[in-house]
Amino acid sequence: MDIMNFRCLSVILGAVTILSLSACSSSSVVSLDYVPQPGQSLRGTPDFSLGQFKDKRGVQAQTLGHVRMPIGPKVDTLQTRLPISDIVRNSFGYGLESRGMLAPDSRGRFILSGEIHDLRSQLLVHPYGYARIRVNILEAGSNRVIFTKIYEGERQSNAYRPGSGSPVPVLRDLTSRALQDAVDRALDDSNMRQSIGTGSDARPRYTPGML
């Protein structure tokens, strides 16, 4: 059988499955979320304002990733409602607020900003989400960088089985959790907190938010 007669091919777990698709490439719009974890995050004092997060991924601002099979072109492109830079900024905002660390009226002692080196959803055999973000803590007023570090988050699920339904919801959830892992590791980093001398309080926690 000549594989060139087919526009889209799929190989899953070593078994070749030939898929004849009416449209080899489509686009799905997804929303990511941040869900605070009661009792798992470290509380802090409202010392932070939010700065900007620069998208350094080298792809379009709202492209999150692609659904691909091991052989053949991509069959779906995942897009976000908002630019990725806004999504990451919002996620850090939810994370700060859930910990009581977001300053009222954007008048914090410190500004939290950063660079998005990677944030993507991917499907070859296993659905996969990954985030890699540099976080910068600046002193308000002087804009002097007093702390900087790269944080990562990674999630993967079991192999996708063709015919088991759309993989998009799984990819959305994995990428949401990968981004949240990176955010939580940054905000709960004891070295970061010690470097700026932030304290703690007991204000109520924030509710989950869509990004």
Side-chain angles (χ1 to χ4, degrees), residues 54-73:
K54 297 180 180 179
D55 190 347
K56 300 284 189 179
R57 299 175 306 141
V59 298
Q60 293 183 352
Q62 291 171 247
T63 297
L64 186 61
H66 303 289
V67 176
R68 295 180 183 272
M69 298 306 173
I71 295 179

Side-chain angles (χ1 to χ4, degrees), residues 100-171:
M101 296 169 66
L102 191 61
D105 303 322
S106 300
R107 296 179 180 177
R109 297 166 52 208
F110 308 105
I111 300 171
L112 189 151
S113 64
E115 299 173 349
I116 307 160
H117 293 181
D118 204 349
L119 179 61
R120 70 179 187 270
S121 295
Q122 177 178 302
L123 171 60
L124 285 173
V125 174
H126 295 271
Y128 178 75
Y130 179 69
R132 186 171 188 266
I133 301 166
R134 176 174 289 280
V135 172
N136 301 319
I137 308 297
L138 289 72
E139 187 178 57
S142 69
N143 284 329
R144 178 174 63 92
V145 177
I146 57 178
F147 184 86
T148 183
K149 185 176 177 180
I150 291 176
Y151 298 91
E152 295 178 289
E154 184 177 37
R155 293 291 183 100
Q156 179 174 285
S157 70
N158 295 330
Y160 171 69
R161 293 181 300 170
S164 62
S166 171
V168 171
V170 174
L171 289 167

Side-chain angles (χ1 to χ4, degrees), residues 76-96:
D76 200 355
T77 297
L78 272 61
Q79 303 280 345
T80 54
R81 295 184 301 109
L82 300 174
I84 293 296
S85 57
D86 290 344
I87 287 176
V88 171
R89 185 177 188 273
N90 290 346
S91 187
F92 274 96
Y94 284 125
L96 288 169

Side-chain angles (χ1 to χ4, degrees), residues 33-34 41 53 87-96 98-99 112 131 133 135 151-153 176-189 192-193 211:
D33 62 16
Y34 182 96
S41 58
F53 283 79
I87 287 176
V88 171
R89 185 177 188 273
N90 290 346
S91 187
F92 274 96
Y94 284 125
L96 288 169
S98 71
R99 292 165 172 79
L112 189 151
I133 301 166
V135 172
Y151 298 91
E152 295 178 289
S176 291
R177 303 287 72 78
L179 173 58
Q180 181 163 343
D181 287 347
V183 171
D184 290 346
R185 286 167 183 163
L187 299 183
D188 293 335
D189 187 346
M192 180 276 286
R193 296 198 181 203
L211 308 178

Side-chain angles (χ1 to χ4, degrees), residues 185-207:
R185 286 167 183 163
L187 299 183
D188 293 335
D189 187 346
S190 59
N191 291 330
M192 180 276 286
R193 296 198 181 203
Q194 290 172 7
S195 70
I196 63 176
T198 188
S200 62
D201 69 10
R203 294 196 306 166
R205 296 184 180 274
Y206 198 63
T207 57

